[in-house]
Structures are given as structure tokens and as C-alpha cells.
Amino acid sequence: MNNFVVGFFMAWGNFLTLPCPYKRWDSELKNLMLAFLPGVGIVAGLIWFILGCILLKIAVYPLLSALVICFFIYAICGFMHMDGFMDVNDAIMSRRPLEDRLRILKDSTVGAFAVVTLIFLVLAMYVASLSFFIKPMEISGLFPLLTIPVVSRGTSGACVLGFKPLATSQYLEDHEKPRDNYIKTVVLMTCVYFLLVLVFAIIFGRPASIIRLLLSSIGTSCVTLLSCLYARHNLGGMNGDIAGYSICMGELGGMILAAMITV
């Protein structure tokens, strides 16, 4: 049980900017840390949802509300996943041989492709966030904020644990260790949490809000997985940058799909 506590707070300390209440590191528990990525998403999603409810209730100007919602999901993880998004786009869109793409992936400088794709990422997320506030909306319409960060991190975490890492990945050393149980932990945690939110939505929400929750969550998982597969195919393996790239893409996909359903 102590290992689970340590693994969870390792994930908290690495993937959240919130002060970590229990600072402990065990290099033998990196796989368990990845297994708790959905747990990190739960923390982020609950705060995201509460923040959305507050903005909705106090009737903040819609443009400003959208800005806060858009900014929060990137800031809560210290823009770490956005950094991976930029690196992966720089590498893949260079359209160079694999060896050059891998070199670009690890290059600390920012290329033009990273800047251009980042602009469109933030713009699209902002527009999707704005759809939550520009029309009369009930709190049940914000339910996707509870699940999108969890599903994106759960899917991405399972990909990191399941796929062979790049030779330069920090997770290469731990890949040789048995990982099946950790993958099961990711899937179980993600599914149980999603079902709990779904039950909550069925009890307190309207049919349209339930459809919105289902569509956005399923869409988040699909886009995250497809993004992982696309980047892995182009770069020859998995690493933390690809995980961050897929999380950003998955969350954007989920928010866009949520914006398409009127509550």
C-alpha cells in the first residue's frame, strides 16, 4: 500500500504544479508513477470543473471565462505536455529522415513548426472553451471537464507503458520490467472514475449533458490513442514528449466534441 501512496505522489510532483503534500521519490516506482497518470487527471479535472462552475455562477464575461478555462488546463501541469506537443510537431513536420527527426525531438531550441502548431492549438482550445459560456449553460454542461483530463492521461499512460520506448526515453530502463499490472491499473482507474462521473451525470444531468459527456470522453480517448500511434509511427517509439503531444491533442479533441453538443 505504501508503494501506491508513493507512486501517486510521485505522479503528483512530476505532472502537477500544485504543491505536493508528500514529497517522496523512488526510482524503482517509475512504472507505478505512470500508472497514476489518471489520478493526476482526476485532481486536475475536479479543479477544472469547480473553476468552470464558479465562472458560470458569477457570470464572468464569456471571453474571459474561456481564457481562464483554456489557460488552466495547461498551467496546472506546468505547460509540460505543451512542451512535448511542440517538440513532436517540430520533429515530425520537418519531414526529414528518422535520425534527423529524433535529433530535432531532443533539440532544446524552438522551431517554426512548434510555434505555428502551438498557436493553432491554443486558438482551437480557446474557441472550444468559449462554447461553454457564450450560450445559456447549466452546470451539467460542464461535466466533460471532469473526465477529459483523466481519459487523456489514462490513454496516454497506457501507451507509454505498453509501447516500446525510444532509445533516448527516460522510461527505457523500466520498460524491461513487467508492466501488465500497471497497464491494468491505468485502465481500471480511468474506467471506474468515468463510470462514477457517468452515474453522477445520469442522476443530476439532462440527456443532452449525458450525451455531451459520453461523446467528449470517447472522443478524447480516440484522439489521444490515434495521436500516440501517429507520433510513434513517425518517430519509431514512445517517450514523454509523445505522451504530452497526445494528451494535448486528446484534450483538444474532447473539448471540440463537447462544444458540438448543446445543453
Side-chain angles (χ1 to χ4, degrees), residues 37 88 92 151-164 220-250:
L37 269 173
V88 169
I92 293 177
V151 174
S152 65
R153 284 159 178 79
T155 306
S156 179
C159 288
V160 175
L161 288 165
F163 294 142
K164 183 179 179 180
T220 298
S221 182
C222 291
V223 174
T224 303
L225 178 59
L226 289 173
S227 299
C228 267
L229 294 174
Y230 170 73
R232 173 174 171 264
H233 171 74
N234 280 278
L235 296 171
M238 280 294 300
N239 73 347
D241 285 333
I242 294 175
Y245 166 80
S246 64
I247 287 172
C248 288
M249 291 295 291

Side-chain angles (χ1 to χ4, degrees), residues 10-253:
M10 282 174 62
W12 181 312
N14 271 274
F15 303 117
L16 289 176
T17 54
L18 298 174
C20 184
Y22 180 63
K23 296 181 179 180
R24 178 82 181 274
W25 179 264
D26 187 340
S27 58
E28 297 297 318
L29 298 179
K30 285 184 181 179
N31 285 336
L32 186 58
M33 176 185 73
L34 291 172
F36 275 108
L37 269 173
V40 169
I42 291 172
V43 176
L46 286 171
I47 299 175
W48 206 20
F49 174 73
I50 293 170
L51 183 60
C53 291
I54 293 172
L55 292 170
L56 195 63
K57 283 300 182 182
I58 63 178
V60 174
Y61 189 52
L63 293 175
L64 181 58
S65 297
L67 176 63
V68 173
I69 291 298
C70 177
F71 174 78
F72 171 82
I73 198 59
Y74 298 123
I76 190 67
C77 58
F79 302 97
M80 177 185 295
H81 306 315
M82 186 179 283
D83 176 70
F85 173 86
M86 296 173 69
D87 288 341
V88 169
N89 277 308
D90 249 351
I92 293 177
M93 297 185 72
S94 70
R95 295 175 177 83
R96 296 184 180 180
L98 178 59
E99 182 178 347
D100 289 336
R101 292 199 297 268
L102 293 177
R103 176 182 55 78
I104 294 171
L105 183 68
K106 303 307 295 182
D107 194 337
S108 60
T109 58
V110 178
F113 295 121
V115 175
V116 171
T117 53
L118 177 64
I119 290 172
F120 280 101
L121 172 71
V122 176
L123 180 61
M125 179 62 87
Y126 176 74
V127 172
S129 300
L130 183 60
S131 71
F132 284 72
F133 301 101
I134 60 175
K135 53 193 174 186
M137 178 73 69
E138 297 181 358
I139 287 178
S140 63
L142 300 175
F143 285 161
L145 302 183
L146 286 167
T147 57
I148 287 174
V150 182
V151 174
S152 65
R153 284 159 178 79
T155 306
S156 179
C159 288
V160 175
L161 288 165
F163 294 142
K164 183 179 179 180
L166 291 168
T168 56
S169 174
Q170 60 178 315
Y171 303 118
L172 179 64
E173 180 182 348
D174 299 282
H175 186 72
E176 301 303 323
K177 301 175 183 178
R179 289 186 161 198
D180 289 348
N181 288 336
Y182 298 117
I183 296 173
K184 291 177 182 177
T185 300
V186 171
V187 174
L188 181 63
M189 191 183 309
T190 303
C191 291
V192 168
Y193 175 78
F194 172 72
L195 289 174
L196 288 174
V197 174
L198 180 59
V199 170
F200 182 80
I202 292 172
I203 295 174
F204 297 102
R206 298 167 56 188
S209 65
I210 298 171
I211 295 173
R212 191 178 218 207
L213 174 65
L214 287 169
L215 182 64
S216 62
S217 299
I218 295 171
T220 298
S221 182
C222 291
V223 174
T224 303
L225 178 59
L226 289 173
S227 299
C228 267
L229 294 174
Y230 170 73
R232 173 174 171 264
H233 171 74
N234 280 278
L235 296 171
M238 280 294 300
N239 73 347
D241 285 333
I242 294 175
Y245 166 80
S246 64
I247 287 172
C248 288
M249 291 295 291
E251 288 174 348
L252 175 60

